[in-house]
Amino acid sequence: MSDHLGDRDLHIDSLVIHGGQHPDPITGAVMPPISLSTTYAQESPGQHAGYEYTRSHNPTRYAMERLIARLEGSTLTVDDDVSCGGFAFSSGLAATATALELLDHGQHVIAMDDLYGGTYRLLTNVRERSQGLKITYVDLTDPRRVAEAITDETRMIWVETPTNPTLKLVDLEAIVNIARDRNIVTVCDNTFATPILQRPIEAGFDIAMHSATKYLGGHSDVLGGVLVTNRADLADRLRYLQNAIGSVMGPFDAYLCLRGIKTLALRMERHSASALRIAEWLERHPKVARVVYPGLASHPQHDLARRQMQFNGQPGFGGMITIHLAGGLDESRQFLENVRVFALAESLGGVESLIEHPAIMTHASVPPETRASLGISDSLIRISVGIEAADDLLADLEAALAAVRLPASVGG
Ligand SMILES: *Cc1c(COP(=O)(O)O)cnc(C)c1O
């Protein structure tokens, strides 16, 4: 099987189409067939072409895994690992659950304090009990806090950047510098930025993780998760764990992800351009108390964002915006009940624009005290800017904000 090593020289907006891909060797089909067979005939017991059973080996899933491996910049070849260090799972949380199985019972994990609610729930409500993990949540916007939290038992650092929903950033290179030579596996949930805008493995991280349900799939019609590593030893262990645990991505879903990723670069360009325009507009709106977007000069880590989030050498900040409305829960409801183009829905990263209320919706599993300390208040609203005409999105937000009746005390 050819490895198309040459594809490493391609720009990322070509890699989304060609990375790790080759025409079907029998028919020349440019898209891989959806291989549904669960088992493969053998010539003689134990003699086969590398395919025995679909949980362990599936050509459509491999195609998706090699593609995401190339996009995240893994340099592993098919000789190191059959899918070049990329692994696809049935959901983002299935990917996370499998990565956590790299750890032994009782080991220590340092995690960003502002995490996707489901990741927090898996770590705290499930793995602290079933795996005895000891978890310290740290505000990693200041990397020095990692050094303070590390113990002899620390074996994993789990970061998300930008975070969900407060869009805090973590300096990936600074974390790597602290974790280096300490036998700690570093993992970055790269769901919000995607490999188009941010490359954790190139910054020295061991594993990049995704909910493929979001930007990678991109069309709100597939649930999936991904892990990519650049380390042959970790690829070996993840391959073993992926098969042993069995929460693999199905062939239909792998096909939908492959199809979605073809336009990932185009979509991220549009998401980023529209989000910047909308964030700047919202920042001037009197009924909006504060706008958080890494592309705004007012973001406390704007300089880091410019350095760490880039598309072909130009800064790009993604499609997620968080706003604090003037007022509280009533005003948030009035606003959210009056959007028409935006859908009031959980999830993010699709072609259609979505808007939601984290305290009631996506982050309800985070305890109220923790939500309060993270600033996830009743006036906080999360926006996933889609690829519709930005003018239509602005008009929709303007009309919904006009429907908000502020009490006299809030002013505005
Ligand atoms: C959605 C999401 C997850 C979980 O992925 P699922 O595909 O829903 O299991 C993890 N991290 C982030 C940042 C997410 O947005």
Side-chain angles (χ1 to χ4, degrees):
M1 190 181 307
S2 73
D3 187 29
H4 286 240
L5 284 178
D7 65 19
R8 278 197 220 131
D9 301 331
L10 296 177
H11 289 82
I12 190 126
D13 31 357
S14 302
L15 276 182
V16 289
I17 296 160
H18 298 294
Q21 306 301 302
H22 48 76
D24 181 71
I26 294 172
T27 64
V30 296
M31 276 301 275
I34 303 173
S35 294
L36 294 172
S37 187
T38 54
T39 188
Y40 305 87
Q42 308 197 0
E43 266 171 49
S44 171
Q47 258 189 48
H48 52 78
Y51 296 90
E52 288 173 280
Y53 182 63
T54 192
R55 169 164 32 76
S56 328
H57 327 104
N58 180 281
T60 319
R61 194 180 79 225
Y62 282 170
M64 160 60 187
E65 292 175 333
R66 289 179 188 134
L67 173 59
I68 188 65
R70 285 292 169 263
L71 292 181
E72 283 290 356
S74 173
T75 53
L76 296 183
T77 68
V78 287
D79 297 327
D80 300 311
D81 176 76
V82 67
S83 55
C84 307
F87 300 90
F89 299 86
S90 55
S91 70
L93 280 174
T96 299
T98 304
L100 293 176
E101 296 289 357
L102 292 166
L103 300 170
D104 294 335
H105 185 272
Q107 289 183 335
H108 180 235
V109 179
I110 297 173
M112 180 66 181
D113 62 352
D114 185 26
L115 279 184
Y116 174 71
T119 308
Y120 175 88
R121 180 174 55 202
L122 174 63
L123 284 167
T124 301
N125 297 3
V126 181
R127 295 309 185 90
E128 275 193 354
R129 173 182 56 78
S130 67
Q131 200 179 354
L133 294 183
K134 299 186 184 74
I135 300 148
T136 308
Y137 294 97
V138 184
D139 178 359
L140 298 177
T141 52
D142 180 356
R144 286 168 302 186
R145 299 218 181 94
V146 182
E148 290 161 19
I150 287 179
T151 73
D152 292 343
E153 301 286 295
T154 307
R155 287 292 165 271
M156 185 174 277
I157 298 176
W158 191 284
V159 312
E160 219 177 291
T161 178
T163 64
N164 179 6
T166 57
L167 301 176
K168 292 194 236 169
L169 266 52
V170 178
D171 184 335
L172 295 175
E173 282 175 14
I175 300 290
V176 167
N177 286 337
I178 296 167
R180 182 171 286 144
D181 302 328
R182 292 191 197 235
N183 189 22
I184 294 173
V185 176
T186 45
V187 188
C188 176
D189 181 336
N190 204 25
T191 301
F192 270 36
T194 82
I196 303 301
L197 300 177
Q198 179 169 274
R199 317 291 289 281
I201 286 178
E202 284 167 13
F205 265 62
D206 295 313
I207 297 175
M209 175 265 159
H210 281 272
S211 168
T213 318
K214 315 297 166 49
Y215 288 106
L216 299 187
H219 296 71
S220 306
D221 57 5
V222 57
L223 183 71
V226 160
L227 299 173
V228 177
T229 184
N230 200 25
R231 274 176 51 182
D233 61 328
L234 285 179
D236 258 5
R237 290 171 65 198
L238 288 172
R239 179 152 303 287
Y240 180 85
L241 290 169
Q242 183 191 37
N243 183 50
I245 295 165
S247 52
V248 294
M249 178 178 280
F252 263 117
D253 294 344
Y255 174 80
L256 284 173
C257 286
L258 275 166
R259 185 181 172 118
I261 291 172
K262 303 274 178 200
T263 56
L264 182 63
L266 277 176
R267 286 186 282 114
M268 292 315 291
E269 234 179 328
R270 173 64 88 94
H271 286 302
S272 300
S274 294
L276 180 59
R277 208 178 133 203
I278 290 169
E280 285 171 345
W281 181 85
L282 285 167
E283 206 168 41
R284 292 191 299 268
H285 198 287
K287 287 182 184 165
V288 177
R290 192 157 82 87
V291 181
V292 186
Y293 183 68
L296 292 176
S298 60
H299 190 287
Q301 295 167 292
H302 180 59
D303 290 342
L304 172 60
R306 291 182 64 85
R307 182 154 44 85
Q308 189 161 276
M309 301 179 73
Q310 296 196 348
F311 173 60
N312 283 340
Q314 293 299 315
F317 308 101
M320 301 303 297
I321 304 173
T322 293
I323 63 173
H324 297 260
L325 220 56
L329 190 55
D330 287 346
E331 289 74 17
S332 296
R333 279 192 205 281
Q334 289 161 12
F335 175 53
L336 293 171
E337 285 167 1
N338 281 285
V339 289
R340 294 288 173 266
V341 182
F342 282 84
L344 174 58
E346 300 196 6
S347 198
L348 59 106
V351 290
E352 63 284 290
S353 293
L354 302 176
I355 194 160
E356 67 115 4
H357 192 272
I360 295 179
M361 296 168 67
T362 47
H363 288 64
S365 60
V366 177
E369 322 79 72
T370 311
R371 283 205 305 266
S373 71
L374 291 171
I376 306 176
S377 69
D378 284 344
S379 64
L380 185 143
I381 287 164
R382 189 184 78 180
I383 299 174
S384 173
V385 176
I387 62 170
E388 303 94 334
D391 285 338
D392 292 338
L393 300 177
L394 285 171
D396 195 38
L397 293 173
E398 184 156 36
L401 283 166
V404 174
R405 295 171 306 275
L406 287 181
S409 60
V410 181

